[in-house]
Amino acid sequence: MSKILCVIRLGEVPLHLYHIISGFILLERQGIIDLKVERLGKGHPERLPYNMIEARVNGIQVLYDLNDGYDNLLREGQDFVDFLDSLLNKFHICFKRSFSPHQNSKLKHASKMLPLGLNYMVTVPGNTAHFPTPEDPKKEKIKKIIRMIPFSEYYNGRYYMNFFEGIPSLEKDPKILFMARLWDVEGDYAGQLSSSKKEERRYINEFRASCIRLCKKEFGPSFYGGVNSTGYASKYYADLIIDDKKVTKRNHYIERVKKSSICIATMGLHESIGWKFAEYVAASKAIATEELHYDVPGDFREGQNYLAFRTPSDCIDKIYRLKQDNEFRYKMMVNNYNYYHNFVRPDRIVFQSILAALQYGDYKSVQLERELS
């Protein structure tokens, strides 16, 4: 039986890309694809923008875009339409994590865009992404070396696929979880953020803080939540700081996710669906989330895989529904278990994209060869 030939080209490899690279590696180990990995040299003229990776699937040029939104890589005054259309000129198809039909409709190459799905930092043993590439910044190269050390807090093994996975369970006293981070509204350095992005951070911070405060008041010991201790959070949201720093460590956090039945998520930067949301799905949890701004593939919808809220008080209402209706909550957990194993698990998210690329190639092959010649 012939295998699908896949070539992935690695420039800079940040954490967002580990998910997709893991998927290709797993499919090779399963005997489904033949995989070749090309590492681009420093300053290579064909290197891609941040959080993007190129693949060739049986000759079809595929772009994976794992960025938070449509505008996070733009320079001041730059338009995302020009930015993306210039990239799409070079590819047959693009799978975008933060996928918006409305935004895509503005593109010349809108027909090349397809939803990729939920993303999180997940990896597998022996992932080539663990090793520094020539294009990785010096700081990231050092971090990658630290992540190889087993006793490190950031050890790659704490992000292995099975570490996140859980199965549905029906608890008599369902626990509720919302642990979050807050963003410095001034950014990491002066001039980093526009006024609109500063305002987005203020909104995210206040919304998360309000949800946590209300949950603590409403659900008492059934709820666990708070924010990570940072200089900014300590200054402006001291009442929400999680004092036990051990709890916020990766392994302890995931343990607490697995012990919870209902998990809460809110909008991420650039209106993204954050890593936390994908982690909840991987763990087969019932989810209450702020309304989603982007689409994902497959049958994933409100009322089936999550309950959406618009305000902190609405968040409380949705949690009560999940808490009080055992059958509904358990069914949602089962739905998320199934969705994870079909559309989120690293090998499945990549396999779904490969199938879509091959289907695209079947009826576009002649036209695409003309475009790229």
Side-chain angles (χ1 to χ4, degrees):
M1 179 179 175
S2 60
K3 300 178 184 178
I4 303 165
L5 176 59
C6 297
V7 181
I8 55 175
R9 308 184 78 200
L10 305 183
E12 181 180 353
V13 181
L15 299 178
H16 286 72
L17 301 184
Y18 283 43
H19 187 185
I20 301 306
I21 297 171
S22 295
F24 278 104
I25 291 171
L26 287 173
L27 291 175
E28 180 190 36
R29 291 174 183 173
Q30 294 164 7
I32 296 172
I33 67 171
D34 280 328
L35 178 64
K36 295 183 179 179
V37 178
E38 296 179 2
R39 288 174 169 256
L40 304 182
K42 182 69 175 176
H44 195 284
E46 295 179 7
R47 67 187 183 278
L48 290 172
Y50 189 67
N51 278 338
M52 295 187 187
I53 186 172
E54 173 187 354
R56 292 196 296 272
V57 178
N58 276 3
I60 300 167
Q61 298 287 108
V62 180
L63 174 65
Y64 292 89
D65 179 0
L66 280 294
N67 281 290
D68 288 347
Y70 284 75
D71 61 355
N72 50 301
L73 298 184
L74 301 181
R75 300 185 301 273
E76 188 173 352
Q78 188 178 20
D79 183 69
F80 85 86
V81 173
D82 294 336
F83 176 77
L84 277 179
D85 271 332
S86 64
L87 275 172
L88 293 172
N89 277 329
K90 306 167 188 175
F91 294 91
H92 296 137
I93 193 167
C94 172
F95 293 97
K96 185 163 178 60
R97 167 198 169 200
S98 295
F99 178 92
S100 165
H102 172 70
Q103 297 287 58
N104 295 339
S105 67
K106 304 171 186 178
L107 299 171
K108 175 183 176 182
H109 299 296
S111 63
K112 294 183 178 183
M113 302 288 285
L114 286 176
L116 175 62
L118 302 175
N119 172 240
Y120 63 125
M121 164 50 184
V122 60
T123 190
V124 294
N127 191 344
T128 188
H130 298 168
F131 303 95
T133 70
E135 278 288 313
D136 283 334
K138 182 178 179 180
K139 188 175 180 180
E140 182 58 26
K141 290 178 179 178
I142 295 171
K143 288 182 179 179
K144 286 189 175 183
I145 293 171
I146 293 172
R147 293 188 195 107
M148 295 180 191
I149 303 172
F151 55 80
S152 165
E153 173 188 346
Y154 307 102
Y155 176 50
N156 289 315
R158 300 187 189 277
Y159 297 84
Y160 286 167
M161 185 173 70
N162 62 310
F163 186 63
F164 296 94
E165 294 175 346
I167 59 175
S169 63
L170 189 56
E171 305 294 337
K172 291 182 180 179
D173 180 22
K175 301 301 181 185
I176 306 157
L177 179 71
F178 186 32
M179 295 168 61
R181 67 177 295 182
L182 302 180
W183 299 99
D184 189 328
V185 298
E186 296 302 323
D188 297 327
Y189 53 86
Q192 179 192 11
L193 302 175
S194 66
S195 57
S196 63
K197 290 305 175 186
K198 289 180 181 180
E199 187 55 39
E200 180 185 62
R201 291 191 176 203
R202 287 191 188 94
Y203 168 81
I204 290 172
N205 291 345
E206 283 299 313
F207 198 94
R208 291 177 179 178
S210 296
C211 287
I212 293 170
R213 288 183 180 122
L214 280 179
C215 284
K216 284 185 174 185
K217 180 180 178 181
E218 196 73 25
F219 300 110
S222 292
F223 173 77
Y224 187 87
V227 300
N228 291 354
S229 179
T230 63
Y232 182 85
S234 297
K235 183 176 181 180
Y236 296 103
Y237 299 89
D239 61 310
L240 301 181
I241 297 294
I242 297 173
D243 293 324
D244 185 356
K245 292 185 178 180
K246 186 175 74 171
V247 174
T248 62
K249 303 296 184 185
R250 169 56 39 174
N251 55 328
H252 295 290
Y253 165 69
I254 294 299
E255 285 176 9
R256 196 167 284 272
V257 169
K258 289 185 174 182
K259 290 177 181 177
S260 303
S261 297
I262 302 167
C263 295
I264 303 166
T266 57
M267 183 188 80
L269 294 177
H270 309 282
E271 300 186 332
S272 64
I273 303 173
W275 285 355
K276 186 185 302 295
F277 193 98
E279 292 167 356
Y280 295 162
V281 174
S284 303
K285 298 304 168 184
I287 302 170
T289 180
E290 188 177 0
E291 287 188 317
L292 305 182
H293 294 271
Y294 296 115
D295 294 352
V296 299
D299 186 19
F300 190 85
R301 49 194 164 90
E302 206 274 337
Q304 174 178 286
N305 300 90
Y306 61 91
L307 290 181
F309 55 83
R310 291 188 175 185
T311 66
S313 61
D314 189 24
C315 172
I316 300 300
D317 293 339
K318 296 303 190 290
I319 293 171
Y320 265 119
R321 184 182 175 192
L322 291 170
K323 183 176 172 63
Q324 294 171 351
D325 192 333
N326 293 336
E327 182 179 355
F328 178 70
R329 184 177 72 250
Y330 184 74
K331 189 173 181 180
M332 181 180 290
M333 291 175 160
V334 172
N335 291 338
N336 285 332
Y337 175 89
N338 289 330
Y339 187 81
Y340 167 76
H341 285 283
N342 282 284
F343 289 96
V344 182
R345 206 176 70 197
D347 54 336
R348 296 306 299 172
I349 191 172
V350 173
F351 186 66
Q352 294 288 356
S353 72
I354 288 174
L355 288 180
L358 292 175
Q359 290 168 1
Y360 186 91
D362 283 344
Y363 68 86
K364 287 283 190 178
S365 57
V366 174
Q367 176 185 341
L368 293 173
E369 285 302 321
R370 289 174 179 170
E371 287 181 6
L372 296 175
S373 62

